Amino acid sequence: MTVKDPIFVQHMRELVNSRVEVTTTCCTLAGTLADVFPDHLLVLTPSPHHVRIEEICFVRELRKKKLFSSTGEGDSEEPVTQ
């Protein structure tokens, strides 16, 4: 199979096993990027979702951020910003 967007696929391979948010023409999924194929991504949310690369608008990595609340410390996820 020919890779239509090899640079995008290469960038996605660098994020395998990371928490990501994938926005498509249909919806937004947040989960773990489990694998990258020439034509789709496998995102675990925890159920598996096969997301066609041609339907992706953007992908961003999520990371844990410590937040303090009245009940103590907690974790939340926020986009990684450069």
Side-chain angles (χ1 to χ4, degrees):
M1 174 176 276
T2 303
V3 178
K4 292 183 178 181
D5 196 345
I7 305 249
F8 180 79
V9 169
Q10 178 183 351
H11 286 291
M12 292 300 99
R13 285 192 174 130
E14 294 171 8
L15 294 175
V16 168
N17 295 321
S18 297
R19 297 273 305 151
V20 295
E21 182 179 86
V22 180
T23 300
T24 70
T25 57
C26 301
C27 65
T28 299
L29 294 171
T32 301
L33 181 58
D35 208 347
V36 179
F37 299 92
D39 62 338
H40 72 281
L41 306 179
L42 176 59
V43 180
L44 305 177
T45 65
S47 59
H49 293 273
H50 297 267
V51 182
R52 295 175 60 182
I53 288 176
E54 63 188 36
E55 297 297 321
I56 295 173
C57 300
F58 64 89
V59 177
R60 59 185 175 173
E61 184 178 14
L62 299 174
R63 65 176 178 180
K64 294 281 186 176
K65 178 182 178 184
K66 292 285 186 185
L67 296 177
F68 295 93
S69 67
S70 60
T71 60
E73 287 189 31
D75 289 335
S76 72
E77 291 179 351
E78 69 172 19
V80 173
T81 56
Q82 303 280 337

